[in-house]
Amino acid sequence: EDVDIPSRRALITGATGLLGRAVFKEFNENNWNAVGCGYRRAQPRFEQINLLDSVAVHDIIHDFQPHVIVHCAAERRPDVVENQPEAASQLNVAASGNLAKEAAGVGAFLIYISTDYVFDGTSPPYKETDIPNPLNLYGKTKLEGEKVVLENNEGAAVLRIPILYGEVERLEESAVTVMFDKVQFSNKSANMDHWQQRFPTNVKDVASVCRQLAEKRMLDPSIRGTFHWSGNEQMTKYEMACAIADAFNLPSSHLRPITDCPVVGALRPRNAQLDCSKLEMLGIGQRTPFRAGIKESLWPFLIDKRWRQTVFH
């Protein structure tokens, strides 16, 4: 029997990661023929591709002929980037430039996922036209990646996003969900950053924005350049932890707000809020309220299973 394969093809890098899984799912469920690629965790669901292998990258792009490539793969942990600068630069910069070149070769629209950490956090909110000034090496490598992408492919788009959360496979997959254990173990006090202002953003919303951007681009070739997307609820990690506790009716009195600037690890911007009006004016966007999104993401990790049964059955 003939299977109707949609004529619109999307290739997603980093499809095994938190954002990549959501992007793959979003395209797949909205009448796109999506192919995901990953590296360590790829098989059997996704194509296994080492993005540093330029021949492998060339081959999959030429074989599949995607209309859109969403480049989610990156080393996105700031402290890991500080400790492994060469490997991070290879993936975040060199591989991104090569991907942009290959995308241009087949006329594919490339969406390069970047970060609010390209800004120093001193004068938010940031528009796409504001001058970046990354404080840490992660932000620097992602900014370099933006530059090589746009140099090698003038039709590409850069999408800058902030801290992400969503349906995680492990709590450590997101800097938001990783706090859940500290929230649940209320018998010992936990210090929580109450200095850095964040805008937690659901990966489903970013995935929807990527698809909307891709679909708009199919109709309008002027859709390119740099864009910002973000949740619009401003919270420190302490406030997120309290909101998580509240969502699950858990105590939060053991959570301690720390208002000093953190002294360990890579430098972080105080408030790198992104101005998203450019996408909003195009009619593109989706925002899940934090409380609803975090509940959906975290309930499988609840230790008190009785509570789960009362709420979900």
Side-chain angles (χ1 to χ4, degrees):
E1 196 169 323
D2 287 339
V3 178
D4 178 27
I5 293 189
S7 55
R8 303 180 298 177
R9 295 180 298 280
L11 179 68
I12 289 93
T13 74
T16 54
L18 176 63
L19 177 60
R21 292 195 304 269
V23 173
F24 176 81
K25 191 174 175 191
E26 173 73 21
F27 277 86
N28 216 21
E29 290 177 354
N30 285 279
N31 212 25
W32 284 74
N33 175 11
V35 165
C37 56
Y39 188 46
R40 283 189 304 273
R41 297 176 286 169
Q43 276 139 347
R45 202 172 154 212
F46 299 118
E47 301 284 324
Q48 186 171 30
I49 302 281
N50 178 357
L51 293 177
L52 306 182
D53 178 346
S54 52
V55 175
V57 171
H58 173 89
D59 288 350
I60 191 169
I61 289 175
H62 279 259
D63 291 347
F64 184 51
Q65 294 281 324
H67 299 96
V68 176
I69 301 173
V70 186
H71 182 30
C72 301
E75 178 48 73
R76 56 177 184 77
R77 296 164 296 179
D79 297 331
V80 173
V81 177
E82 299 288 330
N83 295 323
Q84 302 173 9
E86 187 48 44
S89 176
Q90 283 293 312
L91 183 57
N92 292 358
V93 185
S96 301
N98 180 53
L99 204 61
K101 213 176 284 176
E102 293 292 351
V106 297
F109 175 46
L110 176 70
I111 301 174
Y112 168 81
I113 302 294
S114 190
T115 172
D116 58 342
Y117 275 21
V118 300
F119 296 112
D120 61 18
T122 55
S123 53
Y126 291 95
K127 285 186 151 39
E128 290 83 355
T129 47
D130 288 331
I131 310 280
N133 182 32
L135 296 180
N136 58 39
L137 197 57
Y138 165 63
K140 287 181 179 129
T141 63
K142 291 301 289 182
L143 182 60
E144 286 296 306
E146 290 184 10
K147 287 176 181 161
V148 296
V149 162
L150 295 172
E151 276 164 17
N152 284 300
N153 186 336
E154 56 183 32
V158 166
L159 179 64
R160 295 180 183 141
I161 54 174
I163 187 170
L164 300 175
Y165 74 94
E167 287 177 24
V168 289
E169 290 175 350
R170 312 177 315 283
L171 289 174
E172 309 81 68
E173 251 191 323
S174 151
V176 179
T177 57
V178 75
M179 300 188 283
F180 197 30
D181 280 346
K182 283 186 177 173
V183 171
Q184 295 194 80
F185 294 114
S186 54
N187 54 350
K188 56 175 194 244
S189 72
N191 291 344
M192 291 287 175
D193 177 55
H194 193 41
W195 173 82
Q196 191 183 12
Q197 301 296 324
R198 310 301 294 269
F199 292 82
T201 302
N202 195 315
V203 288
K204 283 185 178 175
D205 298 343
V206 177
S208 174
V209 164
C210 288
R211 180 183 57 80
Q212 292 173 52
L213 203 53
E215 289 174 359
K216 219 163 198 88
R217 164 60 177 252
M218 308 267 298
L219 306 169
D220 178 1
S222 75
I223 301 283
R224 55 192 190 142
T226 306
F227 299 92
H228 289 171
W229 191 254
S230 165
N232 55 3
E233 294 168 83
Q234 179 171 324
M235 298 182 202
T236 62
K237 282 199 174 169
Y238 167 72
E239 288 165 333
M240 287 181 227
C242 289
I244 291 168
D246 189 48
F248 290 100
N249 299 320
L250 296 167
S252 59
S253 52
H254 66 294
L255 303 172
R256 292 226 154 106
I258 304 297
T259 53
D260 305 333
C261 173
V263 286
V264 290
L267 282 173
R268 296 338 198 230
R270 174 83 188 260
N271 183 351
Q273 180 181 6
L274 299 172
D275 178 318
C276 306
S277 53
K278 184 175 169 184
L279 278 176
E280 287 165 346
M281 281 163 69
L282 288 168
I284 290 175
Q286 176 178 301
R287 287 192 177 98
T288 303
F290 182 72
R291 197 189 156 105
I294 205 66
K295 215 168 182 174
E296 182 184 50
S297 307
L298 285 178
W299 77 265
F301 296 91
L302 250 188
I303 292 161
D304 185 353
K305 300 293 190 283
R306 289 166 316 199
W307 189 93
R308 253 161 72 173
Q309 284 160 352
T310 58
V311 172
F312 292 96
H313 297 286

